[in-house]
Amino acid sequence: MSSDDESDPNDDSSDADPAVDALLDAYALKDERRTGWQLRGVDAPESVAAHTWGVAYLVLALGDRFREDLPGIDLDRALRLAVVHDVAEAETGDAATRADSTAETPDPAAKEVAERAAMEDLADALPDRIRDAWEAYEARESPEAILVKECDLLDVCLQAVFYEREDRYDPADGDPGAFREYDDLDEFFATTEPRLRTETGRELFARLRERYRAARDGT
């Protein structure tokens, strides 16, 4: 066999598949760490993909509780929205939502433009249902999109309770200058409360805040 006939095992150009390329790009979400926890010095903070699993699990586990607030909700459709809701961050990275008035926050319009551009790259070679689910979530008009956003917010509170109970953070290991108006993990609850839209979401939030305070104060 001549050298011209020898194939390079690392050359996959003959097997080019745009869908596979898009999936590989999206898998960066597994390594993209949640910025808010990093700022607070959480040891080995969750990835955005781990957060996505949490949101999907809350939809499945708690979705029925929201039926009075969100009549006619389709939990299977909500799960599709949950799975894709943060996929754009595989390209844009995660930007923490802040309540601290001294914190730098991204421009919402610029963030939207960046995320839409990311979705054009990530979803173009994939079935339309990927982009459609992401667009539905972003619109926040359907019962399913509202549920997913409620679960997105509540997931942060659950994660804060978990980290507080496990003593998993040291502000000195994060960015001490980033938290000037809030102690411990209090800011994560401050950013969540005003954005909840349902009575069920607010009730669950209140219970989680109680659990967090008990863990924080050792009571």
Side-chain angles (χ1 to χ4, degrees):
M1 180 182 294
S2 68
S3 60
D4 291 340
D5 293 329
E6 293 179 358
S7 60
D8 182 351
N10 296 317
D11 181 6
D12 61 357
S13 58
S14 62
D15 297 322
D17 186 333
V20 172
D21 293 336
L23 292 173
L24 288 170
D25 289 341
Y27 265 47
L29 210 63
K30 292 186 174 186
D31 287 333
E32 180 66 36
R33 299 296 169 182
R34 294 270 279 172
T35 307
W37 305 127
Q38 289 181 309
L39 289 173
R40 206 53 176 151
V42 170
D43 180 42
E46 65 170 345
S47 67
V48 177
H51 160 72
T52 297
W53 172 85
V55 174
Y57 195 62
L58 290 181
V59 167
L60 188 62
L62 300 179
D64 287 328
R65 297 193 185 192
F66 288 82
R67 290 195 182 278
E68 186 172 342
D69 294 298
L70 304 169
I73 193 167
D74 181 340
L75 294 185
D76 288 338
R77 182 168 186 263
L79 281 171
R80 289 204 298 272
L81 271 59
V83 168
V84 304
H85 83 282
D86 272 344
V87 72
E89 293 182 11
E91 285 196 3
T92 66
D94 177 57
T97 301
R98 305 299 307 275
D100 192 316
S101 64
T102 68
E104 293 185 9
T105 57
D107 176 65
K111 182 174 182 290
E112 180 180 357
V113 169
E115 289 183 347
R116 289 194 175 279
M119 287 305 297
E120 289 182 9
D121 292 336
L122 293 165
D124 183 59
L126 298 175
D128 289 344
R129 61 178 173 267
I130 302 293
R131 181 62 179 264
D132 291 346
W134 185 82
E135 290 284 1
Y137 171 73
E138 287 295 305
R140 305 284 200 280
E141 294 176 350
S142 68
E144 293 79 17
I146 295 171
L147 172 63
V148 173
K149 186 57 184 179
E150 297 286 279
C151 290
D152 173 67
L153 296 168
L154 293 171
D155 173 79
V156 175
C157 299
L158 274 162
Q159 196 66 50
V161 174
F162 179 81
Y163 286 148
E164 190 66 48
R165 285 181 169 180
E166 297 293 313
D167 194 23
R168 278 271 297 277
Y169 69 96
D170 182 349
D173 292 335
D175 182 354
F179 288 78
R180 300 177 183 177
E181 298 175 353
Y182 295 89
D183 296 323
D184 304 299
L185 301 180
D186 294 0
E187 187 184 27
F188 297 95
F189 291 85
T191 61
T192 296
E193 186 172 19
R195 294 188 289 158
L196 291 163
R197 294 173 59 178
T198 68
E199 186 61 31
T200 300
R202 288 187 285 270
E203 289 174 357
L204 288 166
F205 169 83
R207 293 176 186 176
L208 290 170
R209 183 170 55 186
E210 288 178 6
R211 297 286 185 98
Y212 163 70
R213 289 173 173 172
R216 180 196 63 191
D217 301 337
T219 59

